Structures are given as C-alpha cells and as structure tokens.
Amino acid sequence: MNKALHTTEAIETLPDGRCISYCDYGHPDGIPIFQFHGTPGSRIFGLDSEEVSAAGLRILTPERPGYGKSSPKPDAAAVADWVQDIQMLADQLNLDRFHVLGVSGGGPFALACAALLPQRVITATVVASPAPMTTTGFWTGLSVVNRVVFFISRYATFLLPLLSTVMAALMKDRGGASTHQGEAFRQGGIGLKTDLQLITKNWNFLLESIRVPVYWWHGERDNLASPAAEKELAKIIPSCEPNFEAACGHFILRDPGIAQKILERLLAAPVFRTQEQTDTAQEIVLHR
C-alpha cells in the first residue's frame, strides 16, 4: 500500500480572494479527513502518521488564517467563521463528505464544522481541546502560563498583540523554519492572535445542536485544557462519546497506544450517516 501514498503541499484561492494553504497526504481516493492543527500550528502536522495513511485515508491539514501560507483574516468574528472556509475548500477539491479531526486549539473548529455542516461531516474527532471559557471547570487545573494566556485573550485584549509577538519570537525557531512550529509563525504572531481571540469568545454555534458522532479524547492530567470542563461538554453534546485517559496529559497523541485507539475508533465509524440524522441536525441548526 505504501506505493500509493503521496504527500503534496498546495494553496487554494478562496472566492473572497484569500489563500488557504494545506498539506494533502495519504491515498488520493481514500476517505477524506480534514485535520485541524493546534494553537499555534501549521499544515506540517501529522505527516509522520504512517499508520493513518496506510489505513487508506486521505488527510488534509489546512492552515487557519494567518498561519503558515494562509492569508490572515483580521475581520474573523467567531470560531464558526472557519466553517465557511472549509466548505469552500471542500467544494474546490470536490469533496462532498468528510471527517474532521481537531487537536488542541483545533478542537473548537472541528466542533463548529460538526454543528454547522451536518450534511457533509461524517464524524468529528476532538483531541485535548479547550472548552468555551464559560464552561464550568474551565480554570480547574490549568497551568499558570495558560491561565495568563486565556485571561489576556479574553479580558485584557490590548495586551494580545504583544503576547502574540513575544510567543512568536520564543517559539518560531524551535527546530527550524520548516517545522510545524516554525511555519506557524511564518507571518509573525497574527495567526496565534486570531486563534486566541476566537477561542476565548463566543464560538457562535450551539454545542447541543451537534448530532454528528463526536469522539472526544482527553488526558486526565492535562493542564493546558481542563479535563473538568471537557467532562461538562461531554454532557452537553448529545452525540459525544467521551474517552478520558488517566495516565495522559495534554499531548495525548504522543502515546502510540492512544493514537492507535483513536485511529481504530475512527475507522470503525460508519462512512455515511442516515438521512434522518442529517435532517434532525439541519433542523436544530436552522433554529439556533
């Protein structure tokens, strides 16, 4: 099967003139998965996941606005805005149905797609994602650094440009410019600034409206995104299947055993949902 694997980088121009950059790897005719990077992050993400590619999947890793080679979007108003970008990208790539997978800061954006594109998203897998800041338990167990970052992003936004610039300077050169983190800061801190603004304000969709199957994976020792808050979210999302790993922290995907379990659960999911599930989700979204 390895002979069928491929890896390409591409940039698509969206109808509004912005560019969205992504990596495309795996099997060209495989089941497509849009995999959303963390905060900060870039398209160079997950490319070492040979077992994912070997499973016959096609992985696309689009960069959110301001990261890597994707155009900034200064007027982005909410996490839900990302849904339109993915819809336009999927249209241009002729992808009708697809899975979404969000890791860390990419989690909210995967959930937005599940909520607002129920007719196209097959499943949503969320790994070590933060919760909305209004969620009970949001601050429980968070590290001091993340407490400061979230507080500034929500309540002292005048400091956010400085925070993003400093974080970009500190993290850009880790491993070189061609790495995941290096590419995240290709344009400076604008991508990080935009992400933090969106993640810490109203996401502009209802979590309880989600009917797409959601597979939630989280480490009980995570101090960057509180497990207490994620357990609250698992109660809110009707279609959520929570998996909390006692021995894991935030970087849960670094555990090969857990990564394999996540992959196996995804591969066991039905490729298409019933029309009844789609109609129900659409009705709820229309009345949100």
Side-chain angles (χ1 to χ4, degrees), residues 149-168:
V149 169
F150 283 129
F151 183 87
I152 289 175
S153 301
R154 178 65 180 267
Y155 301 112
T157 54
F158 66 94
L159 292 174
L160 191 51
L162 175 61
L163 173 67
S164 302
T165 300
V166 170
M167 290 183 69

Side-chain angles (χ1 to χ4, degrees), residues 31-35 52 57-60 98-101 266:
I31 299 172
I33 302 176
F34 281 107
Q35 187 170 340
V52 173
L57 302 174
R58 179 184 181 186
I59 313 296
L60 301 107
F98 45 84
H99 298 272
V100 293
L101 189 160
L266 178 60

Side-chain angles (χ1 to χ4, degrees), residues 47-89:
L47 297 181
D48 58 345
S49 302
E50 295 180 5
E51 63 278 2
V52 173
S53 298
L57 302 174
R58 179 184 181 186
I59 313 296
L60 301 107
T61 57
E63 292 173 320
R64 292 189 293 280
Y67 285 121
K69 298 178 181 179
S70 287
S71 303
K73 190 178 182 181
D75 61 344
V79 166
D81 288 2
W82 177 242
V83 175
Q84 185 177 23
D85 286 3
I86 293 302
Q87 187 168 16
M88 291 188 292
L89 179 60

Side-chain angles (χ1 to χ4, degrees), residues 121-226:
V121 173
I122 304 167
T123 69
T125 299
V126 181
V127 182
S129 173
M133 287 188 70
T134 55
T135 306
T136 301
F138 178 86
W139 300 99
T140 303
L142 287 187
S143 68
V144 173
V145 172
N146 262 32
R147 285 175 178 270
V148 171
V149 169
F150 283 129
F151 183 87
I152 289 175
S153 301
R154 178 65 180 267
Y155 301 112
T157 54
F158 66 94
L159 292 174
L160 191 51
L162 175 61
L163 173 67
S164 302
T165 300
V166 170
M167 290 183 69
L170 292 174
M171 301 176 71
K172 182 177 181 179
D173 295 326
R174 290 185 179 180
S178 62
T179 64
H180 174 53
Q181 291 292 347
E183 275 297 298
F185 296 108
R186 171 187 281 264
Q187 302 179 59
I190 182 62
L192 175 62
K193 176 177 176 288
T194 301
D195 254 8
L196 291 175
Q197 285 177 320
L198 300 184
I199 291 171
T200 57
K201 63 197 299 187
N202 191 320
W203 293 358
N204 205 25
F205 64 91
L206 296 176
L207 290 163
E208 56 266 38
S209 75
I210 299 175
R211 293 298 184 272
V212 170
V214 174
Y215 307 133
W216 199 295
W217 299 83
H218 211 94
E220 292 276 13
R221 299 182 180 181
D222 194 336
N223 66 351
L224 303 183
S226 172

